[in-house]
Amino acid sequence: MRRRQNRLPPLDYLIAFEAAARLGGFTAAAARLNLSQAAVSRQIKLLEEHLGARLFHRRYRSVVLTREGQAFLQHVSLALDQVEQGLEGLREAVERPRVTLAATQSVSTLWLMPRLRRLRQDHPNLDIHLVSTDIDAEALAGEHDLVILRGEGAWPDFEAELLLSEEVFPVCAPDYATDRKLHDLEALRRCTLITVASHHSEWMDWSRWLKSKGMADSSEMPSLSFNTYALSIQAAVDGLGVALGWRYLVDCHLAEGSLIKPLAESVRTRSGYFLLQRRGDVPSGAAQVVRDWLFAEARAADTPQAQHAFPCLETGSHSP
């Protein structure tokens, strides 16, 4: 670094040189840089002494680059352009606030993604960094402004507010329900149950759901298992069986008719999706904007009109 400092001339000299070369004279450069002509002339002279090379041929009313000056100008112009681009990028980064939001993969894919376009439209000057993970420790360990996780509202060191309540019910394609005459709970025994393999053993599965409805023995029912929730929902859309649908996560499929609720029965739990912020942290203005927007979207999702507003996404996601 010290060697570079000794070799590089002051930036003011380079700026004066580039302006004089581009504008064709010291006077024009002085006017552009808001300096005196004598100041520009002196800076260029000092630059030439520093370099040990003559950069301009001085004429009566103009200056002309020497061969050395022409070669040097290419490097100076490129360097100044790069510095200017770096400054512009830095200003944009400072002027455009960024919010990092971590969420479970199912929420990210099926609830957040269909709404991100509207978030961008509502807040075009806000940058969003979405982290999708089903590993709670990963979501909680990072320096995320906001976190959405499923649970009952208790996370050490975090303030939690319920964003989406949890209601679970069977869903399937319309033709599948018709073919299997799926009109009551007993008809589920004629169906393939679509399951999700997950390390979150506390999440609702078919065994728990059926047991809550008095159908304890489900071991003989055919099943089809996936390791991601989105795949299980897509399998149901494709008519491969009956999946458990989480309210809010399957609303767009229900709205467009690719899935139906063949049965009236559902299970409400004490769990839900909570919005977390680290206790004691003062949220930035941008994070507060996103927080308020998320809660507004959650309230709007309870209206039938809102359920028709979002297209379904057929991308991978883990269990709810």
Side-chain angles (χ1 to χ4, degrees):
M1 180 64 69
R2 183 174 302 172
R3 181 169 177 263
R4 175 175 291 182
Q5 289 175 345
N6 293 335
R7 294 181 60 187
L8 289 178
L11 182 60
D12 289 349
Y13 297 0
L14 298 176
I15 292 174
F17 164 70
E18 189 275 337
R22 176 165 44 85
L23 299 173
F26 295 171
T27 301
R32 179 61 59 88
L33 300 175
N34 197 28
L35 297 172
S36 68
Q37 190 272 348
V40 171
S41 179
R42 175 173 173 75
Q43 287 178 348
I44 293 175
K45 181 180 179 182
L46 291 172
L47 176 60
E48 290 175 324
E49 292 176 355
H50 182 92
L51 298 174
R54 190 173 184 180
L55 301 175
F56 290 101
H57 295 297
R58 273 77 167 173
R59 296 180 178 173
Y60 177 62
R61 292 186 178 275
S62 65
V63 293
V64 179
L65 284 168
T66 64
R67 184 175 59 183
E68 294 81 5
Q70 291 174 353
F72 187 52
L73 177 63
Q74 296 180 12
H75 297 288
V76 172
S77 297
L78 178 61
L80 292 178
D81 286 344
Q82 290 179 337
V83 171
E84 188 173 14
Q85 291 172 8
L87 288 173
E88 290 176 356
L90 181 60
R91 291 192 188 100
E92 289 180 0
V94 172
E95 293 171 359
R96 290 182 62 86
R98 172 174 169 169
V99 176
T100 300
L101 172 61
T104 65
Q105 293 193 18
S106 53
V107 169
S108 298
T109 303
L110 298 173
W111 194 76
L112 283 172
M113 283 299 295
R115 290 167 166 79
L116 281 185
R117 180 188 295 271
R118 188 154 68 203
L119 175 58
R120 299 288 294 172
Q121 292 172 345
D122 292 346
H123 304 285
N125 295 323
L126 184 63
D127 287 341
I128 301 295
H129 179 55
L130 179 59
V131 177
S132 182
T133 177
D134 278 338
I135 302 174
D136 289 3
E138 181 179 343
L140 298 173
E143 294 299 322
H144 307 308
D145 298 294
L146 302 168
V147 179
I148 300 176
L149 289 180
R150 180 192 175 276
E152 295 185 1
W155 285 271
D157 303 321
F158 284 86
E159 300 285 351
E161 294 181 79
L162 181 64
L163 181 67
L164 302 170
S165 59
E166 184 169 77
E167 181 181 358
V168 186
F169 43 79
V171 294
C172 65
D175 290 346
Y176 190 89
T178 300
D179 294 343
R180 299 303 191 282
K181 297 181 174 57
L182 188 50
H183 305 305
D184 54 40
L185 287 171
E186 283 300 318
L188 284 172
R189 299 187 183 277
R190 300 191 294 269
C191 300
T192 297
L193 303 184
I194 300 174
T195 66
V196 180
S198 171
H199 64 278
H200 282 280
S201 58
E202 76 279 9
W203 286 346
M204 178 68 68
D205 57 17
W206 270 115
S207 178
R208 289 187 177 90
W209 196 93
L210 291 170
K211 186 176 182 179
S212 72
K213 301 303 177 184
M215 298 177 63
D217 184 13
S218 61
S219 59
E220 296 183 359
M221 298 182 188
S223 64
L224 184 61
S225 180
F226 297 91
N227 72 326
T228 71
Y229 183 66
L231 283 177
S232 74
I233 293 302
Q234 187 58 46
V237 171
D238 292 341
L240 299 180
V242 185
L244 286 175
W246 264 251
R247 188 187 180 196
Y248 303 109
L249 302 187
V250 298
D251 281 355
C252 63
H253 287 287
L254 296 174
E256 72 178 16
S258 58
L259 290 177
I260 63 169
K261 294 170 59 176
L263 306 174
E265 286 82 1
S266 66
V267 172
R268 294 179 181 271
T269 76
R270 295 182 299 176
S271 298
Y273 291 97
F274 287 78
L275 185 65
L276 281 60
Q277 291 178 273
R278 193 172 297 277
R279 186 173 290 117
D281 284 359
V282 178
S284 66
Q288 187 65 38
V289 166
V290 174
R291 176 197 173 281
D292 294 343
W293 185 89
L294 288 170
F295 277 105
E297 286 295 309
R299 291 191 297 269
D302 287 325
T303 66
Q305 295 84 354
Q307 295 176 7
H308 292 273
F310 310 109
C312 292
L313 299 179
E314 299 175 3
T315 54
S317 162
H318 287 93
S319 305

